[in-house]
Amino acid sequence: MLYAALKRPSRLPLYDESLVWSTVLLLAIGLVMVYSASIAMAEGSRLSSFQPQYFLIRHAGFLVVSLVAALIAFQFPMRLWQQAAPYLFTFGAFLLIVVLIPGVGREVNGSQRWLRFFGVGFQPSELVKLFVVLYAADYTVRKAAHMGSFRKGFMPLFGVMLFVGALLLMEPDFGAFAVITVIAMGILFLGGMNWRLFVALIALLVVGFVALIWTSPYRLQRIAGFLDPWSDPYGKGYQLSHALIAFGRGEWFGVGLGASVEKLFYLPEAHTDFLLAVIAEELGFFGVIVVLGLFAWLVLRAFSIGSQAAKLERYYSALVAQGIGLWIGTQALINMGVNMGVLPTKGLTLPLLSFGGSGIVANLAGLAILLRVDWENRELMRGRSV
């Protein structure tokens, strides 16, 4: 199918080249910066004989696996993704249950979020984000006639998401819970939910999030550290204070690639959650703006592709494309907000850039599905122009 399309002459490009190049640039920046941010940690720990390059080699391996997964995901038509959506979502919920089983799920830094396969850690919540996009889009299309009804349109999906959210909070993974909430609510709104009902639900969610924070001592400590990190710079404000120092040292054009001081065991999780702070220190304001611009363009293209699909009356594909844009954009925004001190600390990585296999696999699989939506749009437009 793809070979035949490649041979077909047409002025319309086969795929969105800017989307592909934005993704490639983000992956390339991530590979370089993960290496830079992790050298000190790799040398300081006896992880392997490839000490300085340990995280670089693993990250490059994750990229290869993720690209293969993306190529496979692209091969499936959107109608098959829609048919598989409920089953994939059920499988994701099953994995969230399995990870909570003592002795099966692996605990790291007080959170039980990982499973291990063949010696490699895997985080089910990353795949669940993609499955939520596929399932929420399918649900919204099936329930299109009831989107104005609280009981028939919203409550069934709310009950399912509440169950998944409860599993995530038991790990605990408040960041992933926030992301899937935004995905589900955003897709419902884009699918035609009554705006008055949507505003009421947003208010209810805000109350719920405040209650979750208020009833959890460690979340209250994070909020206190966020509001005034300098009051306890060696305790609850440690991560944020060092992230802000990294941003301050970077100024306009940074201290130079590889010259970060904060990555030398001062800034925790420098190659994962706080990679943007290292980028800010080494590449400066200019480097941060480049990353922001690439993410903004990626999200813009996702919504544009979704809008085009809606014009072609491909409503499931439209919601999936925009849902992927919501997912990538929301997670990137939260991670950047945490690094810049705009949001409280959350255990969310920067999509496509941070070290971590399961996150990049899910991100690239989602973007491959987005590219599939775009490719099918273009195929349909070519057919109509003949």
Side-chain angles (χ1 to χ4, degrees):
M1 182 191 303
L2 184 57
Y3 177 73
L6 285 168
K7 293 183 67 178
R8 189 180 308 159
S10 174
R11 292 184 179 179
L12 185 67
L14 284 171
Y15 59 90
D16 190 324
E17 296 177 2
S18 67
L19 174 65
V20 173
W21 281 110
S22 296
T23 303
V24 169
L25 285 172
L26 284 169
L27 292 174
I29 292 170
L31 184 64
V32 172
M33 295 310 303
V34 163
Y35 181 40
S36 177
S38 63
I39 291 176
M41 182 182 295
E43 288 182 336
S45 57
R46 298 176 180 178
L47 294 169
S48 75
S49 57
F50 304 101
Q51 284 185 4
Q53 294 83 28
Y54 176 79
F55 290 102
L56 172 66
I57 293 171
R58 285 179 63 86
H59 192 68
F62 292 150
L63 287 180
V64 171
V65 172
S66 301
L67 288 170
V68 171
L71 287 171
I72 294 172
F74 179 82
Q75 304 305 314
F76 293 96
M78 291 308 299
R79 59 180 177 81
L80 291 183
W81 284 114
Q82 184 173 7
Q83 292 169 6
Y87 303 104
L88 291 172
F89 182 76
T90 302
F91 175 66
F94 170 73
L95 290 178
L96 291 180
I97 294 173
V98 171
V99 80
L100 293 172
I101 299 175
V104 178
R106 184 184 175 209
E107 184 175 331
V108 178
N109 295 330
S111 297
Q112 193 162 325
R113 305 176 186 175
W114 285 265
L115 296 173
R116 290 193 70 82
F117 293 102
F118 305 105
V120 178
F122 173 76
Q123 199 168 347
S125 60
E126 295 294 342
L127 274 184
V128 169
K129 295 168 189 173
L130 174 59
F131 296 160
V132 166
V133 171
L134 298 172
Y135 176 73
D138 173 57
Y139 175 88
T140 304
V141 170
R142 286 188 287 108
K143 297 282 187 176
H146 304 293
M147 279 296 103
S149 169
F150 178 80
R151 183 174 64 85
K152 294 182 179 180
F154 174 74
M155 280 305 296
L157 183 63
F158 176 74
V160 173
M161 291 301 163
L162 192 64
F163 173 69
V164 171
L167 294 175
L168 289 170
L169 290 175
M170 289 170 68
E171 293 182 5
D173 194 345
F174 189 77
F177 174 62
V179 172
I180 69 163
T181 299
V182 171
I183 293 170
M185 292 296 296
I187 289 177
L188 282 175
F189 179 73
L190 292 168
M193 174 182 279
N194 182 285
W195 71 269
R196 293 184 181 86
L197 176 59
F198 183 77
V199 171
L201 291 172
I202 290 295
L204 184 63
L205 282 172
V206 170
V207 173
F209 277 118
V210 170
L212 284 171
I213 293 169
W214 191 260
T215 56
S216 174
Y218 91 92
R219 291 193 185 107
L220 279 175
Q221 288 181 357
R222 284 189 171 186
I223 293 294
F226 159 69
L227 293 174
D228 188 6
W230 307 109
S231 64
D232 187 11
Y234 297 103
K236 56 180 177 288
Y238 184 81
Q239 288 177 308
L240 179 54
S241 61
H242 280 280
L244 294 175
I245 290 171
F247 271 86
R249 290 192 75 245
E251 298 184 351
W252 287 100
F253 297 103
V255 296
L257 185 62
S260 167
V261 171
E262 287 301 316
K263 70 184 182 185
L264 304 178
F265 300 101
Y266 293 105
L267 184 61
E269 309 297 338
H271 61 307
T272 55
D273 298 357
F274 285 91
L275 185 65
L276 187 69
V278 179
I279 293 174
E281 186 177 4
E282 295 191 349
L283 305 181
F285 179 74
F286 174 76
V288 174
I289 287 298
V290 169
V291 171
L292 279 169
L294 288 171
F295 273 114
W297 182 252
L298 194 152
V299 173
L300 180 64
R301 292 308 305 149
F303 275 83
S304 179
I305 291 169
S307 177
Q308 184 63 52
K311 291 176 183 177
L312 295 170
E313 299 182 352
R314 304 178 62 237
Y315 300 114
Y316 174 73
S317 296
L319 290 175
V320 167
Q322 293 172 345
I324 290 170
L326 274 174
W327 163 32
I328 300 295
T330 299
Q331 184 162 332
L333 194 64
I334 292 175
N335 178 274
M336 291 176 182
V338 167
N339 276 252
M340 297 177 185
V342 179
L343 294 172
T345 304
K346 285 276 136 276
L348 282 175
T349 56
L350 189 57
L352 302 173
L353 276 84
S354 293
F355 176 82
S358 48
I360 294 180
V361 169
N363 294 157
L364 285 185
L367 290 173
I369 294 172
L370 174 62
L371 198 62
R372 178 75 196 198
V373 173
D374 176 65
W375 186 77
E376 291 185 4
N377 286 348
R378 292 166 188 255
E379 283 291 287
L380 188 56
M381 288 188 289
R382 284 191 194 94
R384 289 184 179 183
S385 65
V386 173

